[in-house]
Amino acid sequence: MALIQTLFQALSTNPGSTAGVGFSRWPVMLVITAALLMLPIIIIAASLALPFSDTWRHLLDTVIVDYLGTSALLMLGVGAGTAVLGVGAAWLTTAYQFPGRSALVWALLLPMAMPAYIIAYTYTGLLDFSGPVQSALRDNFGWGYGDYYFPQIRSLGGAIAMLSLVLYPYVYLLARVAFMEQSASMREAARSLGRSPTQVFFRVALPQARPAIVAGVSLALMETLADFGTVDYFGVSAFTTGIFRTWYGMGELTTAAQLSALLMLFILVLIVVERTSRARMRYHQSQRRAQRTQLSGWRSALCCGALVLIVLAGFLVPAMQLLMWAINHWRGAWDDQFLQLVWNSFSLASITAVVCLGLSLLLAYGQRLSPGLIERSAVRLAALGYAVPGMVIAVGVLIPLAWLDNRVDALAREWFDTSTGLLLSGTLLALVFAYAVRFLSVSLQSVESGLSRVKPTLDDAARTLGASAGTTLRRVHLPILRGSLLTALLLVFVDVLKELPATLILRPFNFNTLAVRTYELASDERLTDAALPALAIVIIGLIPVILLIRAIAEGEKQHG
């Protein structure tokens, strides 16, 4: 907290100046900050205006259609999978009472702590030909190669299954809120007309919850398009793998940027759909909410068993497998290199979390002081990076930084006959900037939520006492916002720790993190060696899940 206060000390006016002068600085800083954070996205969009190279034409003739078709099938499959799992789990935990329901309400969120690429590595180790499942089948039944059929985990279907298992909580959370807020009278009216519980669900509850469900599926699809580790490991030709191959395999940065721009068009459509759905969401406080139906016998066992199966498949089975691998191989993995990975990941995530928090305070508080259309639009545009894949942002960051490095190097050669090398691109500064663009929205939402609970009368009282905007922020708001600030720090910290594509592309030479090392070991088929860094990511990833669980528990108490 002291560091944040120091960062904003400079925003206070001089002792002899008036409070009004301090207020005038914030809109300018807000717009400049937002423009800087939007630069990578603008660069990617502007790449479509550049001439298309022969490489682009080659890609168009050979693989673009494959990228489009595969990405569309991936989105279709994950959309259906997350909708079925998320809506089903939300309805069962909201409409019915059965043994274990209270525990399953929060346990269904646990897959959020499991990055998609890690669950992909784990299930590959379990279900591949040499894995324990198929080995046990061959040993018990005396089968050999070709004597039986087993689904191929490294396939488009496997990628859809892995992504659905970890992304359904987006749908589950929003759908559950929608179901909880529905009035009992409409369901009871349907039942009085002779409708069965199944018909009540499909004809009454589901249509009312449709905006929330569409919003949740849209968020899941954004994450699907942003995924790189899963589709790359499974050999699925999606847009993210195509961008990576075009950049690193062909050395075509401009063409990679143009591919990224096409991917952004997909994302833009999903953003519009998600925002439109959220705008239609109306959660009214009804006088009487529907009571949960008590289940017993085989119905209770079936309901509980289905939800337990989801939790097992999405979290417990891969987590236990990672734990077993880590226990059996920790002596070979726990060394100075692993400790260096932990330190690199921790320091990078900590720095980014503080940077994002400082930017969020600047944007959120600046918008509070000057809530005009320009300021509000600038803040919303600055937060757009969270919907853009990390790989796309990495391309957008590298292009301007590489251009600037080349210009500085050319001037140094001309004036001083020496080379400056890479001053910005390929440094931690570039990586932290990319993280800030990607994850600013996470901390911004938390800060905005905290500021919205601070009464404007406190600002007015501070102004009457001659305090500037910066002084009011440091002495009034920051102490009140401690909880929101800590939440923002933790959420950004965990997201940075799990981020793979941006880190893989922008990291400095000979600099690794837990996510990159896990990817490298898994790519070399050293899954057991990858278990320890992967398990560390999963354990830390439980932090935001615990925060969500606490929020749900508080909501359950309020709703009775």
Side-chain angles (χ1 to χ4, degrees):
M1 191 64 64
L3 178 58
I4 299 299
Q5 292 177 341
T6 302
L7 290 174
F8 282 85
Q9 178 72 39
L11 297 176
S12 302
T13 57
N14 295 328
S17 64
T18 64
V21 176
F23 276 81
S24 65
R25 300 175 182 177
W26 290 81
V28 176
M29 292 187 295
L30 187 151
V31 172
I32 292 175
T33 302
L36 184 62
L37 292 169
M38 280 293 295
L39 180 62
I41 300 175
I42 294 172
I43 292 292
I44 292 297
S47 68
L48 291 176
L50 298 175
F52 290 89
S53 64
D54 292 336
T55 302
W56 172 263
R57 297 185 181 91
H58 170 71
L59 294 176
L60 187 62
D61 293 336
T62 55
V63 295
I64 292 295
V65 175
D66 188 27
Y67 292 159
L68 288 170
T70 303
S71 297
L73 290 175
L74 189 66
M75 292 171 62
L76 183 63
V78 173
T82 54
V84 170
L85 294 176
V87 174
W91 178 250
L92 292 178
T93 55
T94 304
Y96 299 104
Q97 182 68 42
F98 50 88
R101 190 200 71 88
S102 298
L104 285 168
V105 165
W106 61 261
L108 286 163
L109 294 172
L110 291 176
M112 295 187 76
M114 186 74 65
Y117 58 88
I118 289 181
I119 197 175
Y121 304 155
T122 307
Y123 271 111
T124 298
L126 283 170
L127 303 178
D128 228 356
F129 181 79
S130 59
V133 175
Q134 292 199 54
S135 297
L137 290 175
R138 292 193 298 269
D139 293 341
N140 291 331
F141 295 99
W143 293 337
Y145 179 77
D147 293 338
Y148 66 98
Y149 169 77
F150 197 87
Q152 178 60 256
I153 183 67
R154 296 195 188 192
S155 62
L156 177 60
I160 289 173
M162 298 299 101
L163 289 166
S164 298
L165 284 174
V166 298
L167 296 178
Y168 80 83
Y170 287 101
V171 183
Y172 167 72
L173 282 169
L174 293 178
R176 190 167 183 276
V177 172
F179 289 143
M180 288 178 62
E181 297 294 338
Q182 290 177 1
S183 174
S185 58
M186 297 187 67
R187 298 183 192 176
E188 291 172 354
R191 292 301 302 274
S192 67
L193 294 174
R195 303 301 182 187
S196 66
T198 302
Q199 291 174 322
V200 170
F201 169 70
F202 282 105
R203 297 189 180 186
V204 178
L206 194 59
Q208 293 184 75
R210 185 168 54 191
I213 295 170
V214 172
V217 171
S218 299
L219 291 173
L221 292 182
M222 289 182 200
E223 293 294 330
T224 299
L225 289 175
D227 178 78
F228 171 74
T230 305
V231 293
D232 178 68
Y233 187 66
F234 282 0
V236 176
S237 296
F239 262 106
T240 49
T241 56
I243 294 168
F244 190 82
R245 292 166 187 168
T246 302
W247 187 349
Y248 277 84
M250 301 180 180
E252 288 279 350
L253 183 56
T254 301
T255 305
Q258 292 166 338
L259 276 176
S260 300
L262 285 182
L263 180 56
M264 281 178 54
L265 293 179
F266 276 86
I267 298 293
L268 181 61
V269 172
L270 290 174
I271 291 174
V272 172
V273 171
E274 191 268 341
R275 294 289 167 85
T276 303
S277 299
R278 282 185 181 271
R280 294 169 55 197
M281 291 164 63
R282 297 292 185 268
Y283 296 141
H284 299 294
Q285 295 291 332
S286 59
Q287 294 297 321
R288 185 169 59 88
R289 294 187 178 87
Q291 297 296 315
R292 289 188 290 269
T293 302
Q294 180 68 51
L295 297 180
S296 61
W298 66 268
R299 290 183 177 83
S300 175
L302 181 62
C303 184
C304 183
L307 297 180
V308 168
L309 186 61
I310 294 175
V311 177
L312 282 171
F315 181 79
L316 292 179
V317 169
M320 292 305 297
Q321 181 61 70
L322 285 175
L323 182 61
M324 290 174 60
W325 283 340
I327 291 174
N328 293 331
H329 297 84
W330 72 272
R331 290 182 178 84
W334 189 284
D335 53 14
D336 292 340
Q337 184 182 19
F338 174 74
L339 296 178
Q340 184 64 46
L341 291 175
V342 173
W343 170 249
N344 289 347
S345 301
F346 177 84
S347 57
L348 196 58
S350 300
I351 293 171
T352 305
V354 172
V355 170
C356 284
L357 182 58
L359 292 173
S360 298
L361 281 168
L362 173 62
L363 294 173
Y365 192 60
Q367 182 181 228
R368 180 184 177 94
L369 296 177
S370 301
L373 178 61
I374 294 177
E375 290 81 0
R376 286 186 282 110
S377 299
V379 172
R380 296 281 71 81
L381 289 173
L384 193 62
Y386 190 67
V388 181
M391 182 165 292
V392 174
I393 291 176
V395 176
V397 167
L398 190 62
I399 289 175
L401 293 186
W403 178 87
L404 184 59
D405 278 343
N406 289 333
R407 292 299 178 272
V408 171
D409 184 70
L411 290 175
R413 289 175 182 273
E414 180 180 351
W415 293 350
F416 306 107
D417 195 24
T418 185
S419 175
T420 58
L422 299 178
L423 298 176
L424 296 174
S425 53
T427 64
L428 287 179
L429 178 64
L431 190 54
V432 170
F433 177 56
Y435 286 153
V437 175
R438 178 83 168 89
F439 299 119
L440 174 71
S441 178
V442 178
S443 58
L444 181 61
Q445 290 181 16
S446 180
V447 173
E448 284 184 328
S449 176
L451 279 174
S452 67
R453 296 192 294 268
V454 179
K455 295 181 179 180
T457 52
L458 292 177
D459 299 67
D460 297 337
R463 290 180 63 184
T464 60
L465 295 174
S468 66
T471 301
T472 302
L473 175 63
R474 287 189 297 107
R475 296 186 177 181
V476 178
H477 291 87
L478 289 184
I480 298 175
L481 294 175
R482 287 182 184 272
S484 297
L485 300 183
L486 179 60
T487 300
L489 283 170
L490 290 176
L491 292 177
V492 175
F493 180 91
V494 173
D495 276 340
V496 170
L497 200 73
K498 296 189 294 185
E499 173 65 24
L500 175 61
T503 313
L504 194 64
I505 291 172
L506 293 175
R507 63 194 170 110
F509 178 74
N510 203 27
F511 182 91
N512 260 3
T513 63
L514 290 170
V516 172
R517 186 55 178 165
T518 301
Y519 168 79
E520 291 175 342
L521 292 172
S523 299
D524 293 337
E525 301 301 329
R526 297 167 58 187
L527 295 177
T528 54
D529 293 330
L532 189 59
L535 188 63
I537 295 173
V538 172
I539 291 174
I540 298 175
L542 287 171
I543 294 174
V545 177
I546 293 173
L547 295 176
L548 279 174
I549 290 171
R550 291 179 58 185
I552 287 179
E554 293 176 0
E556 287 279 300
K557 292 178 181 178
Q558 293 176 0
H559 293 307

